[in-house]
């Protein structure tokens, strides 16, 4: 027994290690880690090239910065951000002409870039910020994505043109091209400019389009493209000049040379996704200028970062808050209500930002020397071990506050409680390690804000709920790397010795810094390994059917629809209304709680259950998604603020009017007669007799699956499961003694509706097998007195195909018409249309905006286990 347990533990350990390495290779992990790696490399380069530069030297250089240079840099920063605002103005005119005013587009561009430039991860940060603004004009996520794409193209075109001009104007001063002759430099620059000119001439020839994967992408006219290039060039040149005017005159090269160096620096910063290219931009400039030993150059870089990144970030943040408050004004009635409506939505992101900054303050303080006067006073009243331990613990608290900031942003109650405790502990440690009362005051104010708004943080969750994502881990690595560099600069005068690790003294700032840095690296590494090994994964369907509550079975039996029978599949969770008059069946994939169809039960209880479900998902930090819903409860979903997307149409045949007579039914009459000639016999096997037939049914099912490229679907479709099939009557077609086709029958309450779920047949038995089976099923339902026969859904059918239709409708129509290589969309609808059914629209209700693509991935993962597999036949 002990050997077996040991073997199990070893297997688990091997799986964990394997999962860790596989996780590192995922694109969503590699991207952030690559960016963090660039920053760490840049920090190492800065540390190496700065030689003996001490932090005090940088302080002195900062004090000597000329006010005139600061004013010039501020003015040039305004010019740069004005050009960035024009990025969005030109993009909005192309993407959303007439729907977005130039003023709103300029505001969105300035705010979006002000925040994303400083925070980093430009597409992921700038996109949602812009969406919040453009949403007020009615734009959807796809429109915002195109605006961001056009803006990025403008930025890129400006970089290319400026690089070409710099090479042509001042090639001799480009240090990293010194191995090439000036003629070769100019030749490269001229080739770049010539390529741009050729493209301009091509665009001037008329309307140009590019076909990509079946999509027609319109290109700008030559005039528009030239304007984009000019705006991009002004932006980058002004940004470069904002730093150039701050540099010492004896270090600054010609502006053309510096412009090319700046282009390389910001390109590297963008690729790193670090906040404002932090560390990467500085390293590139210092190496390019050969000024690693110049504290005045480092001081210029610090001033530039404050002017070009920090000030616009603060301005953009305040402006966005004002914008949100302005948008909320109409929905508020009273003064107290206005305060609550304006303040409450921003408490969570504001608290997350302040807690993150509080963590950075603690880490920075731990890496800098303490004030001698305060340490002298502290030494008279406190034992040294208390101060040493407080210094180490303050740094660890700072790291954990950065981790908890993500939980606060997601409004998790446990993150709030832990944050308050850690902020209080951090304030105490700040006082005990060096009488840093300023830090303690700030931390307690933030703790007070969290304490004052408990209802904002209402979601349940544990450690897994705010475990760092790869992006958050990369941010932690960047912060630690940069702050560690600050520490090394602060203690450059201290000669490193192994004994430093074990020196404990009131003036031992450097040893304390080393010990704290080691502890932070160990804890950060443990957090990273835990996050990568235990990263979120898609839940697997249950291998065995889950018990179905008796109240759910009662509601299924009474329902006038047949789709609730899928609750018996055993792969779903259930939520009942308090009075047990309605239930919702749902599954979980990623951060989405996905229901299947509308709630089942009484309408009033169903409406309340929709709100109950959405609230439960929100408390869990998830998004509520309602899949396969009908038109009856759309107003309730709209009241929830969800987007409604049409996903197809459901076909239902009126059995009272159905007959095999007439020209339209000739195919079915032919199929019925040919079935008789071929010896195909239809019958309905009662539920009690189905278990005895399961081996034969499985043989038919396995033969059918062998002809398909995909696997068994789940959640929204039945699968071959013996317990599931034993819940229903089963229609079969026999040839001789062998079953060649079968379908389990769904029966609604009150004989309102009859339907089939799992249909399987042997290929090659007869060409009319399916036509004959459906004809017999419809006649059987009519004979038993059923009102409707539900033929099921036709995915993506009935979507609007119009230039003014939503992006979702246009994409869905494209897939419907051109997706036959993956799934026979049009053929399925055409087959059902032969029965002259009544078509009822079917919808998906989900959060709008940039969450929509992830919702679609989650839904397809839940049904098929893979977004691509859903299209396999």
């Amino acid at each position: 027994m002990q050997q077996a347990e040991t073997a199990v533990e070893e297997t688990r350990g091997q799986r964990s290690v394997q999962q860790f390495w596989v996780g590192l290779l995922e694109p969503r992990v590699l991207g952030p880690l690559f960016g963090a790696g660039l920053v760490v490399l840049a920090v190492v380069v800065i540390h190496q090239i700065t030689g003996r530069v001490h932090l005090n030297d940088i302080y002195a250089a900062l004090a000597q910065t000329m006010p005139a240079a600061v004013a010039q840099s501020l003015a040039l920063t305004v010019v740069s951000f004005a050009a960035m605002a024009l990025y969005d103005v030109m993009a909005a005119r192309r993407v959303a002409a007439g729907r977005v005013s130039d003023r709103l587009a300029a505001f969105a561009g300035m705010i979006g870039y002000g925040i994303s430039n400083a925070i980093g991860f430009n597409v992921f940060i700038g996109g949602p910020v812009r969406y919040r603004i453009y949403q007020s004009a009615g734009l959807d996520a796809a429109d915002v994505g195109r605006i961001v794409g056009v803006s990025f193209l403008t930025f890129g075109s400006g970089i290319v043109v400026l690089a070409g001009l710099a090479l042509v104007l001042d090639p001799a001063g480009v240090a990293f091209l010194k191995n090439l002759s000036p003629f070769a430099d100019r030749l490269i620059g001229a080739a770049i400019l010539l390529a741009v000119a050729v493209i301009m001439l091509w665009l001037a020839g008329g309307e140009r389009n590019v076909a990509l994967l079946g999509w027609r992408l319109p290109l700008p006219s030559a005039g528009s493209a030239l304007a984009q290039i000019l705006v991009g060039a002004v932006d980058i040149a002004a940004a470069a000049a904002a730093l150039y005017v701050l540099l010492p005159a004896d270090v600054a090269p010609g502006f053309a040379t510096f412009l090319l160096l700046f282009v390389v620096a910001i390109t590297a910063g963008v690729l790193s996704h670090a906040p404002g290219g932090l560390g990467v931009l500085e390293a590139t400039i210092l190496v390019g200028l050969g000024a690693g030993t110049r504290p005045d150059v480092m001081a210029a870089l610090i001033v530039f970062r404050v002017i070009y990144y920090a000030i616009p970030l603060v301005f953009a943040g305040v402006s966005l808050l004002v914008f949100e408050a302005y948008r909320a004004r109409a929905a508020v009635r009273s003064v107290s209500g206005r305060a609550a409506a304006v303040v409450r939505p921003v408490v969570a992101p504001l608290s997350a930002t302040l807690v993150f900054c509080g963590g950075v303050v603690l880490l920075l303080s731990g890496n800098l020397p303490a004030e001698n006067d305060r340490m002298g006073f502290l030494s008279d009243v406190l034992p040294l071990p208390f101060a040493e331990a407080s210094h180490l613990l303050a740094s660890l608290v700072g790291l954990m506050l950065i981790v908890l900031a993500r939980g606060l942003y997601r409004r998790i109650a446990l993150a709030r409680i832990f944050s308050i405790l850690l902020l209080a502990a951090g304030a105490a440690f700040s006082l005990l390690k060096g009488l840093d009362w300023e830090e303690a005051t700030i931390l307690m104010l933030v703790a007070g804000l969290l304490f004052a708004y408990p209802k904002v943080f209402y979601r349940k969750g544990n450690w897994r709920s705010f475990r760092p994502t790869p992006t958050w881990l990369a941010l932690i690595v960047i912060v630690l790397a940069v702050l560690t560099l600050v520490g090394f600069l602060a203690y450059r005068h201290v000669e490193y010795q192994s004994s430093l690790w074990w020196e404990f003294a009131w003036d031992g700032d450097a040893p304390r810094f080393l010990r704290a840095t080691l502890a932070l690296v160990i804890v950060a590494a443990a957090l990273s390994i835990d996050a990568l090994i235990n990263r979120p994964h898609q839940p697997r369907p249950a291998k065995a059917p889950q018990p179905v509550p008796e109240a759910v079975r009662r509601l299924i039996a009474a329902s006038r629809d047949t789709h609730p029978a899928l609750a018996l599949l055993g792969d779903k969770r259930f939520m009942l209304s308090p009075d047990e008059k309605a239930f919702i069946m749902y599954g979980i994939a990623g951060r989405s709680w996905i229901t299947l169809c509308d709630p089942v039960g009484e309408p009033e209880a169903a409406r309340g259950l929709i709100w109950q479900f959405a609230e439960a998902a929100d408390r869990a930090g998830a998004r509520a998604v309602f899949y396969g819903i009908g038109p009856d409860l759309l107003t309730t979903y709209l009241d929830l603020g969800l987007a409604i997307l049409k996903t197809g149409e459901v076909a239902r045949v009126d059995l009272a009017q159905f007959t095999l007579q007439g020209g339209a039914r000739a195919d079915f009459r032919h199929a019925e007669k040919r079935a008789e000639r071929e010896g195909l016999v239809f019958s309905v096997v009662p539920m009690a007799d189905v278990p005895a037939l399961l081996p034969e049914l499985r043989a038919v099912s396995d033969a059918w699956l062998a002809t398909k490229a995909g696997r068994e679907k789940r959640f929204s479709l039945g699968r071959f499961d013996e317990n599931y099939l034993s819940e229903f009557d089963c229609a079969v077609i026999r040839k001789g003694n062998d079953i060649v086709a079968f379908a389990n029958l769904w029966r609604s309450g009150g004989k309102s509706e009859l339907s089939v779920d799992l249909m399987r047949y042997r290929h090659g038995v007869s060409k009319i097998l399916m036509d004959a089976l459906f004809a017999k099923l419809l006649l059987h339902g009519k004979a038993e007195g059923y009102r409707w026969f539900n033929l099921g859904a036709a995915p993506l059918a009935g979507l609007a195909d119009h230039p003014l239709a939503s992006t979702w409708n246009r994409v869905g129509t494209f897939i419907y018409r051109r997706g036959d290589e993956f799934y026979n969309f049009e053929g399925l609808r055409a087959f059902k249309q032969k029965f002259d059914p009544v078509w009822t629209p079917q919808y998906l209700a989900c959060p709008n905006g940039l969450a929509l693509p992830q919702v679609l991935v989650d839904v397809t993962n839940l049904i098929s286990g893979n977004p691509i597999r859903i299209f396999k036949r």
Side-chain angles (χ1 to χ4, degrees):
M1 179 66 71
Q2 186 175 2
Q3 292 178 347
E5 292 178 354
T6 303
V8 170
E9 291 300 323
E10 290 179 353
T11 302
R12 289 176 179 172
Q14 291 171 356
R15 288 178 179 174
S16 295
V17 172
Q18 183 180 10
Q19 189 174 8
F20 172 74
W21 290 112
V22 171
L24 285 178
L25 298 177
E26 291 185 1
R28 67 186 184 90
V29 177
L30 278 178
L33 290 185
F34 173 74
L38 279 181
V39 174
V40 173
L41 178 62
V43 167
V44 172
V45 170
I46 292 174
H47 178 65
Q48 293 296 326
I49 66 175
T50 51
R52 304 295 297 178
V53 174
H54 189 269
L55 197 60
N56 291 334
D57 301 329
I58 299 176
Y59 285 154
L62 285 171
Q64 296 174 6
T65 302
M66 299 297 293
V70 172
Q72 292 173 8
S73 182
L74 282 169
L76 289 165
T77 297
V78 171
V79 173
S80 177
F81 275 86
M84 286 190 230
L86 288 177
Y87 287 176
D88 274 52
V89 171
M90 291 188 295
R93 286 180 178 179
R94 286 183 54 196
V95 173
R99 291 187 288 166
V100 177
S101 66
D102 289 348
R103 184 167 54 182
L104 182 66
F107 178 77
M110 188 171 293
I111 301 307
Y113 280 108
I115 294 176
S116 63
N117 277 6
I119 296 179
F121 301 97
N122 298 64
V123 174
F124 302 106
I125 300 297
V129 170
R130 283 179 172 82
Y131 179 76
R132 291 292 302 170
I133 297 172
Y134 284 123
Q135 190 182 34
S136 63
L139 299 192
D140 60 17
D143 290 330
V144 176
R146 283 194 290 270
I147 289 175
V148 173
V150 173
S151 300
F152 192 78
L153 179 63
T154 304
F155 171 76
S157 62
I159 284 182
V160 170
V161 170
L162 284 180
L165 285 172
L167 286 169
V168 170
L169 295 176
D170 194 5
V174 182
F176 48 82
L177 293 178
K178 62 183 179 181
N179 293 327
L180 296 176
S181 66
F183 174 76
D185 296 345
R186 287 193 173 93
L187 187 62
I188 295 172
I192 293 174
L193 297 178
L194 180 61
V196 172
V198 169
I199 293 174
M200 291 296 104
L201 289 174
W202 179 64
L203 292 175
E207 184 177 345
R208 301 295 186 181
N209 300 284
V210 173
L212 181 63
L213 299 176
W215 294 90
R216 186 179 63 85
L217 304 176
L219 296 177
S221 64
S224 297
L226 190 60
Q228 287 181 236
I229 291 174
L230 179 62
V231 170
V234 169
D235 163 34
I236 299 160
L243 174 57
Y244 188 77
V245 297
L246 295 170
L247 292 173
D250 61 330
V251 153
F255 184 69
T257 301
F258 180 77
L259 188 58
L260 187 56
L261 176 61
F262 187 81
V263 165
V264 174
I266 61 172
T267 302
V270 170
L271 292 176
S272 73
H273 290 299
L278 186 63
V280 178
L281 184 143
E282 285 82 357
T284 306
I285 296 296
L286 289 173
V287 171
L289 296 178
T293 59
R294 297 284 299 267
D296 50 354
V297 175
M298 299 188 72
L301 288 167
I302 293 172
V303 174
F304 171 73
R305 186 159 291 281
V306 171
I307 291 175
Y308 195 79
Y309 292 99
I311 293 177
L313 174 63
V314 172
F315 173 79
V318 172
S319 299
L320 189 59
L321 290 178
V322 172
F323 177 78
E324 292 290 349
Y326 179 78
R327 285 184 62 188
R329 75 195 189 287
V332 190
R333 295 290 180 261
S334 64
V335 175
S336 59
R338 184 179 299 112
V342 172
V343 174
R344 183 166 176 160
V346 303
V347 168
L350 179 62
S351 299
T353 303
L354 292 176
V355 168
F356 183 92
C357 293
V360 172
V361 167
L362 283 174
L363 291 173
L364 181 62
S365 174
N367 290 357
L368 295 175
E371 292 190 20
N372 293 331
D373 294 341
R374 296 184 183 184
M375 292 300 289
F377 174 80
L378 200 62
S379 66
D380 295 333
V381 297
L382 188 72
L384 178 60
F386 280 81
E388 293 282 0
S390 297
H391 183 279
L392 179 62
L393 291 174
S395 296
L396 293 177
V397 166
L399 175 60
M400 295 313 298
L401 286 176
I402 292 176
V403 173
L404 286 171
R406 178 172 177 265
L408 291 173
Y409 185 78
R410 296 185 62 192
R411 295 174 170 81
I412 297 174
L414 193 61
R416 169 184 169 269
I417 295 173
F418 282 163
S419 295
I420 292 175
L421 295 176
L422 287 177
L423 286 165
F429 293 144
S430 295
L431 294 173
L432 293 175
K433 74 182 178 67
L435 290 180
D436 296 323
W437 60 269
E438 301 93 341
E439 296 173 23
T441 302
I442 293 172
L443 296 176
M444 290 308 297
L445 288 174
V446 177
L449 174 66
L450 292 175
F451 187 81
Y453 288 93
K455 293 183 179 180
V456 172
F457 306 92
Y458 52 85
R459 291 173 175 167
K460 296 180 180 179
N462 51 23
W463 164 244
R464 291 187 297 273
S465 304
F466 43 87
R467 178 180 278 127
T469 62
T471 299
W472 206 259
L473 284 175
L475 189 60
I476 292 173
V477 170
I478 291 169
V479 169
L480 290 180
V482 173
L483 295 181
T484 301
L485 173 64
V486 173
F488 280 121
L489 289 174
Y491 301 110
R492 270 270 168 78
H493 63 289
V494 179
E495 192 70 29
Y496 176 77
Q497 298 175 0
S498 299
S499 60
L500 282 176
W501 294 93
W502 313 109
E503 288 186 7
F504 299 92
W506 285 104
D507 59 350
D509 292 320
R512 280 193 285 270
F513 159 68
L514 290 175
R515 289 190 291 269
T517 299
L518 178 61
L520 289 171
V521 169
I522 293 173
V523 173
L527 290 172
S528 301
I529 293 172
D530 171 73
L532 293 174
I533 288 179
N534 299 295
R535 66 192 187 282
H537 62 281
Q538 299 298 335
R540 296 181 179 179
K543 294 183 178 179
Q546 301 300 301
V548 179
E550 286 302 319
V552 170
R553 287 184 175 274
R554 174 176 50 80
L555 290 168
I556 292 173
S559 174
R560 299 181 64 81
D561 297 317
T562 52
H563 74 265
L566 278 168
L568 305 177
L569 193 56
D571 61 351
K572 298 172 183 64
R573 308 176 187 218
F574 301 100
M575 179 178 289
L576 281 157
S577 62
D579 55 8
E580 295 191 349
K581 291 183 178 180
F583 79 88
I584 275 179
M585 48 182 160
Y586 68 100
I588 296 177
R591 287 186 54 222
S592 300
W593 285 21
I594 305 166
T595 72
L596 181 60
C597 305
D598 292 303
V600 179
E602 295 184 3
E604 285 305 314
R607 289 188 180 90
L609 191 55
I610 291 172
W611 286 95
Q612 180 183 338
F613 178 82
E615 290 168 356
D618 188 58
R619 285 194 300 271
R623 58 176 78 90
V625 178
F626 299 86
Y627 173 72
I629 60 176
D632 295 340
L633 298 174
L634 284 186
T635 54
T636 305
Y637 299 116
L638 289 171
D639 289 341
L640 271 173
L642 301 177
I644 306 297
L645 308 178
K646 187 175 182 181
T647 57
E649 294 179 321
V650 176
R652 299 168 76 230
V653 179
D654 185 350
L655 291 179
Q657 305 297 324
F658 180 76
T659 176
L660 292 184
Q661 304 303 315
R665 301 286 188 268
D667 290 345
F668 295 104
R669 290 198 305 274
H670 169 72
E672 186 182 34
K673 292 177 181 178
R674 183 170 171 178
E676 294 177 1
R677 293 198 303 269
E678 294 180 1
L680 301 176
V681 180
F682 172 85
S683 64
V684 175
V685 179
M687 179 177 65
D689 298 333
V690 169
L693 295 179
L694 287 174
E696 289 185 77
L697 300 182
R698 180 175 289 280
V700 175
S701 177
D702 290 345
W704 183 84
L705 284 172
T707 66
K708 303 298 177 182
R711 301 188 309 183
E712 291 265 34
K713 303 295 190 294
R714 54 181 185 261
F715 187 67
S716 65
L717 297 169
R719 64 178 183 275
F720 194 95
D721 179 271
E722 293 185 353
N723 293 323
Y724 173 65
L725 291 178
S726 298
E727 298 274 3
F728 312 101
D729 296 343
C730 188
V732 299
I733 290 183
R734 289 183 171 91
K735 187 170 186 178
N737 295 324
D738 298 328
I739 295 177
V740 295
F742 74 89
N744 62 317
L745 295 182
W746 287 348
R747 301 179 185 273
S748 73
K751 292 193 174 184
S752 171
E753 186 175 89
L754 181 69
S755 186
V756 294
D757 173 35
L758 199 69
M759 291 189 299
R760 303 285 161 88
Y761 61 92
R762 289 186 180 275
H763 285 271
V765 173
S766 174
K767 293 183 179 179
I768 50 84
L769 194 56
M770 282 294 95
D771 282 351
L773 177 59
F774 269 101
K776 292 290 187 181
L777 283 169
L778 268 69
L779 292 174
H780 172 76
K782 181 174 183 176
E784 289 202 345
Y786 281 90
R787 178 70 176 83
W788 296 95
F789 189 94
N790 192 323
L791 293 172
L796 302 182
L799 271 65
D801 183 18
H802 190 278
L804 297 180
S806 70
T807 303
W808 165 252
N809 275 269
R810 285 179 274 134
V811 171
T813 302
F814 174 82
I815 296 174
Y816 179 77
R817 292 182 173 176
R818 305 192 183 186
D820 285 345
E821 291 297 320
F822 304 100
Y823 192 92
N824 191 12
F825 293 103
E826 287 192 291
L828 179 62
R829 192 186 195 283
F831 175 79
K832 295 179 179 183
Q833 184 60 44
K834 293 193 297 185
F835 297 93
D836 293 329
V838 176
W839 293 97
T840 304
Q842 196 173 55
Y843 302 96
L844 169 73
C846 65
N848 203 348
L850 298 176
L852 177 58
Q854 187 58 54
V855 166
L856 298 178
V857 170
D858 289 342
V859 170
T860 52
N861 278 337
L862 190 60
I863 296 173
S864 301
N866 186 296
I868 301 299
R869 194 175 292 138
I870 193 172
F871 294 118
K872 292 186 177 180
R873 302 178 186 182

